[in-house]
Amino acid sequence: MNAGFDPELHKVPAPPMRWDAWGDPELAAPLSEGTSTLIRGMLGVSGDVTLPTIDPATVAVSPSRLSADDLRGLRGIVGDDWVSAADADRLVRAGGKSTPDLLRRRQSNQDAPDAVVVPATDDEVAALLAWAAEQGVAVVPFGGGTSVVGGVDPEAGRFRAAVSVDLRRMNALIDLDEVSQIATLGAGLTGPDAEKLLGERGYSIGHFPQSFRYATIGGFAVTRSSGQASAGYGRFDDMVQALTLVTPKGVLEAGRSPKNAVGPDLRQLVMGSEGAFGIVTRVSVRVHRVPEATEYEAWRFDSFADAAAAFRGTAQEGVMPTVMRVSDEVETALNLARPTEIGEEAAEETPAPPGGCLAITTFEGSPAAVAARAGVVREIFAGAGGQSLGEAAAKTWEHGRFSGPYLRDALLDIGVGCETLETVTTWSNLDKLKTAVTAALTEALPEPTVVMCHISHTYATGASLYFTVVYRQDDTPLDQWLAAKKKVSQAIVDAGASITHHHAVGRDHQPWLADEIGTLGVDILTAVKSAVDPAGVCNPGKLV
Amino acid sequence: MNAGFDPELHKVPAPPMRWDAWGDPELAAPLSEGTSTLIRGMLGVSGDVTLPTIDPATVAVSPSRLSADDLRGLRGIVGDDWVSAADADRLVRAGGKSTPDLLRRRQSNQDAPDAVVVPATDDEVAALLAWAAEQGVAVVPFGGGTSVVGGVDPEAGRFRAAVSVDLRRMNALIDLDEVSQIATLGAGLTGPDAEKLLGERGYSIGHFPQSFRYATIGGFAVTRSSGQASAGYGRFDDMVQALTLVTPKGVLEAGRSPKNAVGPDLRQLVMGSEGAFGIVTRVSVRVHRVPEATEYEAWRFDSFADAAAAFRGTAQEGVMPTVMRVSDEVETALNLARPTEIGEEAAEETPAPPGGCLAITTFEGSPAAVAARAGVVREIFAGAGGQSLGEAAAKTWEHGRFSGPYLRDALLDIGVGCETLETVTTWSNLDKLKTAVTAALTEALPEPTVVMCHISHTYATGASLYFTVVYRQDDTPLDQWLAAKKKVSQAIVDAGASITHHHAVGRDHQPWLADEIGTLGVDILTAVKSAVDPAGVCNPGKLV
């Protein structure tokens, strides 16, 4: 259950995550002594708690602007049990999990949606949208609440109120076509629930973003999520075969066949739409048999440039691992300096690489395919100066791969900011981009600021760069980060890269949307929105 | 030069293909004695020429509806040398190369565009579109003229005239980023010219549709073309990194990075737009080094079902050949019955499979990657009952792979209709679709009608089916085929498949567009068109 709230206060089920921090309170650990010492030493902070979390009982939640008539209207659509205007229910859907979100959650006043509605069917979603358009009420879809770009912020925009539409009841494995290896899933299924339902039948999606434990199928689709196994199974937008989008103007069933030439690909218009065009209720995705074989191999490269060349060679050869990621020198050094993250096992079995960069590969599939792919990749990596470290470090990475975000909350307590951001560009522009982002962050934040980077999504023509920045917060930490974010976002755009590789646009990246897609691009998206949502009630303030 | 016309009659360069038949007249061969005997025997036709081609000097070309002022306006934009209202120039852009097109070309009255304009720059294209919108003149982009769905038909729609905009002058290799392996190409470059320019630098696109010799880069993009090496290098829409679309409302530069989460993917809206949203002038595509190694292997399967299972297993394992195609029993039998198509070499070196289905694989890449991929595929094929036939039949297929369409013209002469159509669906629906299409064709056309089929594009979740139908024409061959096409298109839609896998919508598939994408889907495309082309002058009557 959601931490900090008396379950009695909830009228509808709460999201799986804490309202004011990442994840499950039972999985959150205090900073280890090692990490704490390291961070305190690096940044010169005392380790005392300077920015505590807040008791939700003391929070002033913005009052609901909906009338009794409004709530009656909503209950008429989804039933009495599935509408709530209780503070507890509204507060846990007040936003996502970016560092600005978590800083806002530590304030005593909280903006929250005016009600929470939990529909179960397409018809209910359609009726909700019709009601909202007629009543002039904004509709904000809510999946796992893991957005780090303000995508679920309860903005009413020009409307009189905003309701959060929680999709948790749309959580069925609707169909599994085992011949075609296509699963049709309710948009509200979380990653683990989807994998569990499919696993019982011997299948897996293979989509494991860091938000996997909480994020939902619909959220993956509308934000163009990309998971840690993207090298092998593709981004989520590569996996999607079909989607059902319920809009105020009707239902769009996009995707009738794997690939076709029937005009523009409307799936690709729904993906990335972030609720602005309506609500995705159902997604058909490519699945695969739970793999027979898995091989792990970690590698050391002398430099990030060497590793990037190896990754480029691999992608351009077209024979890929399932997971392929590499940390730069700083991230490698700091991860290895945290024994709780790399693990005892790794420390014992592999020689700690003296400097350099740690790369992880895994291979899943039939034994023959795994061996064949691993052989090709091994040859390319070795040819690019890679040194095999065996499997331990790769297994350790896999074991801890969803735990990173918990660290951030513990750091915030002691006045240390920790945020991630990500971008993508072509190979020929990668160095320039990494330098520009690092410079923008170190210039915008107090010295010493630690900037770590890794590549976790690799294409034949380029790669993503995922940055983690750790810095000393000042007295106005929200403003401090927003100013840094603005500078680094501009640096990304100025470097010719994309403002986001897999976190989406939401509210936070919207100021750079026109830089990226041009004013005509924005006009096109606006035209689409007007066609499907003429009243403009669908997630206002996000995307367009 | 274009056959049948005195070059003196052309004011602007002619397209590379004959006006009334496929391809280059010098490459067209009369029916071989063997093929002729086979076809005459099968269909009961005499072999006499019953439907001759027509002397273009005797054709009544629809007169140009443009005034001297109009032509002056156009010359002011592109220069005096690049505008023509000459009959010869207009007639060679009267349509594409479907069987209905070729039947129409054998009539004495021909509809043609009212002028041909050949711009060289984005600015000229923008000025042309502005002129057209202001003057109420339709604009029909023209690349290689290989459309088989009426995509380049010079329809004026509700406007007073239509100009054909030939993109042949936009034929540069604009940029080659060798690190990122991205080439930026002018939209008017033909397949061979693009490969030649890239080949000089050691690169290749690897996009080889049957139209390769004549079709253009821009055409590949706006129709979502798929080439014979799609298993290895992807469809053209997979290769495209960025496009420049010039519209009456400005220029859209779509695609800033390999993949990203910056909202809907606007590249995927431009691809498949078929000129209805403006004119694509420039395309950046993924390229690869000219492969070091190529391996060929042909296979025999007892049945199409066995072969399909092998292809499915391969795609679902995710280790693919570069080319992977299989003919069904009928196509296999007829190809082997035509010694000029399979070749002496094949007949000598491989045992002719007794019945069954012929599959072709090729593998391109580094020697290590080719060996690894071929090993995995060989194991899957053998496990599914495949019997290796060695490399000869695969090499023979490659040698003749662009020659098929010439046969059609020779057959039309003797009253034999020959047309192709294609579709795509999921694996679980493939049998049903094949049966439905075959039934629709054999019911719509006179007995005996020969329906051949192959799979040439394979996905983890499904495959394309490419049909060739050969039948005895009646006295009204155009009506005869259009009636059959209508029935088979409806059968495809009713079977839950896509109306086209890689030929596009154009004019011919438009009646089924709403069946496929829904009325809301059509509304969305219409909204996009209105945003970029409010006057509606861009290729009216196509797509939306």
Side-chain angles (χ1 to χ4, degrees), chain A residues 428-445:
Chain A
S428 60
N429 196 39
L430 204 69
D431 265 3
K432 177 182 150 194
L433 175 62
K434 186 167 187 285
T435 303
V437 168
T438 306
L441 287 169
T442 49
E443 281 163 23
L445 294 165

Side-chain angles (χ1 to χ4, degrees), chain A residues 23 66 116 197 230 308 369 398 414 435 461 520:
Chain A
L66 292 176
V116 177
L197 288 169
S230 65
E398 188 180 78
I414 59 168
T435 303
T461 55
L520 188 60

Side-chain angles (χ1 to χ4, degrees), chain B residues 443-510:
Chain B
E443 280 162 25
L445 294 165
E447 204 180 346
T449 282
V450 180
V451 180
M452 299 174 269
C453 181
H454 64 250
I455 294 176
S456 45
H457 307 277
T458 305
Y459 308 100
T461 55
S464 70
L465 288 177
Y466 189 98
F467 294 90
T468 303
V469 55
V470 181
Y471 61 95
R472 206 168 57 243
Q473 292 191 320
D474 66 15
D475 294 341
T476 55
L478 184 55
D479 292 342
Q480 180 191 26
W481 174 251
L482 293 179
K485 174 77 177 176
K486 191 173 171 181
K487 281 191 183 148
V488 70
S489 295
Q490 195 59 49
I492 287 171
V493 166
D494 291 346
S498 280
I499 191 68
T500 173
H501 171 262
H502 59 268
H503 283 169
V505 177
R507 190 170 74 169
D508 297 356
H509 290 139
Q510 208 200 37

Side-chain angles (χ1 to χ4, degrees), chain B residues 240-489:
Chain B
V240 168
Q241 305 291 306
L243 312 93
T244 301
L245 175 74
V246 180
T247 83
K249 294 294 276 185
V251 177
L252 178 71
E253 302 279 1
R256 194 178 169 99
S257 52
K259 296 265 189 178
N260 59 60
V262 188
D265 189 342
L266 294 176
R267 296 176 291 204
Q268 300 287 345
L269 200 58
V270 177
M271 289 190 284
S273 63
E274 304 186 21
F277 297 165
I279 294 180
V280 167
T281 58
R282 196 163 40 248
V283 184
S284 297
V285 294
R286 171 160 52 79
V287 296
H288 56 271
R289 297 285 308 172
V290 171
E292 292 169 68
T294 305
E295 220 177 282
Y296 298 84
E297 189 163 10
W299 292 78
R300 180 190 178 279
F301 289 91
D302 279 347
S303 69
F304 191 66
D306 283 357
F311 279 34
R312 178 164 65 86
T314 303
Q316 291 179 346
E317 182 60 62
V319 176
M320 292 285 269
T322 303
V323 171
M324 183 165 78
R325 54 190 290 127
V326 62
S327 295
D328 72 355
E329 293 84 348
V330 180
E331 189 170 286
T332 299
L334 285 173
N335 273 330
L336 291 173
R338 289 203 297 266
T340 52
E341 300 250 327
I342 287 290
E344 297 288 318
E345 192 191 3
E348 278 168 27
E349 289 186 17
T350 61
C357 294
L358 178 69
I360 303 293
T361 60
T362 74
F363 297 85
E364 295 180 357
S366 72
V370 163
R373 288 157 58 207
V376 172
V377 173
R378 203 170 286 133
E379 189 175 311
I380 295 170
F381 275 28
Q387 171 194 349
S388 176
L389 303 175
E391 63 178 31
K395 285 186 165 172
T396 305
W397 167 81
E398 186 178 80
H399 179 74
R401 63 180 170 164
F402 301 128
S403 305
Y406 289 105
L407 189 63
R408 181 174 53 159
D409 297 301
L411 291 173
L412 286 183
D413 289 343
I414 60 169
V416 173
C418 175
E419 181 59 307
T420 63
L421 56 95
E422 35 78 72
T423 176
V424 54
T425 195
T426 55
W427 288 114
S428 60
N429 196 39
L430 203 70
D431 265 4
K432 177 181 149 193
L433 176 62
K434 186 167 187 283
T435 303
V437 168
T438 305
L441 288 168
T442 49
E443 280 162 25
L445 294 165
E447 204 180 346
T449 282
V450 180
V451 180
M452 299 174 269
C453 181
H454 64 250
I455 294 176
S456 45
H457 307 277
T458 305
Y459 308 100
T461 55
S464 70
L465 288 177
Y466 189 98
F467 294 90
T468 303
V469 55
V470 181
Y471 61 95
R472 206 168 57 243
Q473 292 191 320
D474 66 15
D475 294 341
T476 55
L478 184 55
D479 292 342
Q480 180 191 26
W481 174 251
L482 293 179
K485 174 77 177 176
K486 191 173 171 181
K487 281 191 183 148
V488 70
S489 295

Side-chain angles (χ1 to χ4, degrees), chain A residues 177 179-182 223-224 235 237-238 241 247 249-253 256-266 268-269 271-274 277 286 312 316-317 319 365-366 368-369 372-373 376 379 424-428 459-463 492-493 496-505 513 515-517 520-521 523-525 527-528 531-532 543, chain B residues 177 179-182 223-224 235 237-238 241 247 249-253 256-266 268-269 271-274 277 286 312 316-317 319 365-366 368-369 372-373 376 379 424-428 459-463 492-493 496-505 513 515-517 520-521 523-525 527-528 531-532 543:
Chain A
D177 175 347
V179 175
S180 310
Q181 298 196 346
I182 299 172
T223 61
R224 296 186 174 274
R235 299 160 55 89
D237 53 16
D238 295 326
Q241 304 291 306
T247 83
K249 293 294 275 183
V251 177
L252 178 72
E253 303 278 0
R256 192 177 170 97
S257 52
K259 296 264 189 179
N260 61 59
V262 188
D265 189 341
L266 294 176
Q268 299 287 344
L269 200 57
M271 289 189 284
S273 64
E274 303 185 22
F277 297 165
R286 170 160 52 80
R312 177 164 66 87
Q316 291 179 347
E317 183 60 62
V319 176
S366 71
R373 289 157 57 209
V376 172
E379 189 175 310
V424 53
T425 194
T426 56
W427 289 114
S428 60
Y459 308 99
T461 55
I492 287 170
V493 165
S498 279
I499 191 68
T500 172
H501 172 263
H502 60 267
H503 283 169
V505 177
L513 182 67
D515 282 333
E516 172 118 13
I517 68 171
L520 188 60
D523 289 348
I524 288 169
L525 296 183
V528 172
V532 298
L543 186 65
Chain B
D177 174 347
V179 174
S180 310
Q181 299 197 345
I182 299 173
T223 61
R224 294 186 175 273
R235 299 160 55 88
D237 53 17
D238 294 326
Q241 305 291 306
T247 83
K249 294 294 276 185
V251 177
L252 178 71
E253 302 279 1
R256 194 178 169 99
S257 52
K259 296 265 189 178
N260 59 60
V262 188
D265 189 342
L266 294 176
Q268 300 287 345
L269 200 58
M271 289 190 284
S273 63
E274 304 186 21
F277 297 165
R286 171 160 52 79
R312 178 164 65 86
Q316 291 179 346
E317 182 60 62
V319 176
S366 72
R373 288 157 58 207
V376 172
E379 189 175 311
V424 54
T425 195
T426 55
W427 288 114
S428 60
Y459 308 100
T461 55
I492 287 171
V493 166
S498 280
I499 191 68
T500 173
H501 171 262
H502 59 268
H503 283 169
V505 177
L513 182 66
D515 282 331
E516 172 119 10
I517 67 171
L520 189 60
D523 289 347
I524 288 169
L525 296 183
V528 173
V532 297
L543 186 63

